[in-house]
Amino acid sequence: MPDPLSVSEWDVPWLGLVVGNTRLHWGLFRQQQLQAVWHTPHLTSAQVTELLDHQFGVAAWRSLPTLDRSTLDELTKLAAILPPASPLRLVVASVVPAQTDLWQRYPYFREVTLADIPLANLYPTLGIDRALNLLGAGDRYGWPVLVIDAGTALTFTASTAERLIGGAILPGLTTQFTTLAANTANLPTAHLPTELPSRWASHTAEAIRSGVIYGTLATLTDYVQAWRQDYPAGQIVLTGGDGPKLYQWWQSQNPKTPGMTLEPHLTFLGLSHLQPALLATGPQF
């Protein structure tokens, strides 16, 4: 194992990896400052080996298939600030153990678990992404805070600065569309639209869009109202892949309701918050 990192060694960049249900989310940090973000599909063992053998060098990234233009642009930033000699430290937060296992042979690997989260009342099956989102939101925007994560699942997670209050989970927007199509014989496949659809649809695919989107917005409004009733001064932070669309639609339907904050990189803010604690752990990282 590598020697414990000194404070000066944390001056070099480090890599955060958030393993989601459908994608890998990458963040490049210098100390506690997020420098670049990109996303990839889940990787195979061979692809992981390529990245590790080349110390996450840009050429190894470019060998991966299906990288889009925004990812390639972020990799340009990666090339500009990679340390010339020191290896990148890798901090992983994962909800998919099979993907986590692929990285564990890397000598500068550190997995973040619930034991690292300085909040009381965390239950063992709470997703590490939800816990990190709370840290990032509370640290950046203040406590108490309700975090809404609009990803594969739509989750509501609330906390004070000291303890988890609780939350809820339901299928995300895209998951609702795909599940409905997969489990019904006569309904067509409908996809997440770019614009808010008409509430009263005149054909089946549009009726599915109306039901999924307005149903989700109604759920969102209900949880926001309950939160405002219990914590009038509490913060509300929205994140996740479907967050920008849901934010736009919810704001259009609730123009006079006290708003929420959209933060696309919330989990990385949570990792950044933990950086001093990770440094203090010493031998394992």
Side-chain angles (χ1 to χ4, degrees), residues 148 154 156 170-171 173 176 192 195-197 199 209-225 238 242-254 260:
I148 304 167
L154 178 62
F156 299 84
L170 65 151
L173 287 170
Q176 290 183 61
L192 187 65
E195 304 293 336
L196 187 66
R199 185 182 295 271
R209 295 186 187 98
S210 173
V212 169
I213 291 171
Y214 286 101
T216 300
L217 288 173
T219 300
L220 186 63
T221 298
D222 182 73
Y223 274 90
V224 167
Q225 290 175 346
L238 176 64
D242 290 331
K245 285 183 179 178
L246 200 56
Y247 178 81
Q248 177 185 0
W249 294 337
W250 188 84
Q251 294 280 39
S252 73
Q253 298 294 298
N254 299 272
M260 62 181 70

Side-chain angles (χ1 to χ4, degrees), residues 18-272:
V18 178
V19 180
N21 289 301
T22 56
R23 293 196 298 169
L24 304 180
H25 310 282
W26 301 88
L28 182 66
F29 293 81
R30 188 184 293 276
Q31 295 185 343
Q32 289 182 271
Q33 299 302 311
L34 186 62
Q35 305 291 318
V37 173
W38 64 98
H39 312 277
T40 67
H42 286 177
L43 300 180
T44 66
S45 179
Q47 291 168 337
V48 170
T49 296
E50 178 76 8
L51 287 174
L52 296 185
D53 287 349
H54 293 85
Q55 297 284 337
F56 296 100
V58 173
W61 285 105
R62 293 187 184 279
S63 70
L64 298 178
T66 67
L67 295 186
D68 57 25
R69 171 48 54 187
S70 63
T71 297
L72 294 173
D73 290 343
E74 293 298 282
L75 291 178
T76 301
K77 300 178 186 178
L78 177 69
I81 60 177
L82 275 176
S86 301
L88 274 176
R89 273 60 179 176
L90 177 66
V91 180
V92 177
S94 176
V95 297
V96 184
Q99 279 286 304
T100 313
D101 293 345
L102 298 177
W103 304 97
Q104 289 183 336
R105 70 177 179 86
Y106 187 56
Y108 298 95
F109 167 95
R110 170 67 152 83
E111 183 177 6
V112 175
T113 69
L114 291 180
D116 297 304
I117 306 299
L119 293 172
N121 203 36
L122 302 181
Y123 53 89
T125 57
L126 180 72
I128 187 63
D129 53 341
R130 295 175 67 193
L132 287 169
N133 284 344
L134 288 174
L135 284 185
D139 185 49
R140 176 65 62 91
Y141 299 104
W143 305 93
V145 64
L146 169 65
V147 172
I148 304 167
D149 188 348
T152 305
L154 178 62
T155 64
F156 299 84
T157 316
S159 182
T160 68
E162 294 79 28
R163 64 188 296 275
L164 175 73
I165 297 169
I169 302 173
L170 65 151
L173 287 170
T174 301
T175 303
Q176 290 183 61
F177 283 116
T178 56
T179 301
L180 191 59
N183 291 281
T184 55
N186 296 316
L187 292 182
T189 299
H191 301 284
L192 187 65
T194 56
E195 304 293 336
L196 187 66
S198 170
R199 185 182 295 271
W200 306 111
S202 58
H203 58 85
T204 302
E206 195 70 4
I208 294 171
R209 295 186 187 98
S210 173
V212 169
I213 291 171
Y214 286 101
T216 300
L217 288 173
T219 300
L220 186 63
T221 298
D222 182 73
Y223 274 90
V224 167
Q225 290 175 346
W227 174 252
R228 292 292 188 207
Q229 181 175 348
D230 293 341
Y231 297 90
Q235 303 297 315
I236 302 174
V237 184
L238 176 64
T239 192
D242 290 331
K245 285 183 179 178
L246 200 56
Y247 178 81
Q248 177 185 0
W249 294 337
W250 188 84
Q251 294 280 39
S252 73
Q253 298 294 298
N254 299 272
K256 296 182 180 180
T257 302
M260 62 181 70
T261 301
L262 179 65
E263 175 52 70
H265 303 317
L266 196 55
T267 316
F268 288 128
L269 295 182
L271 283 179
S272 174

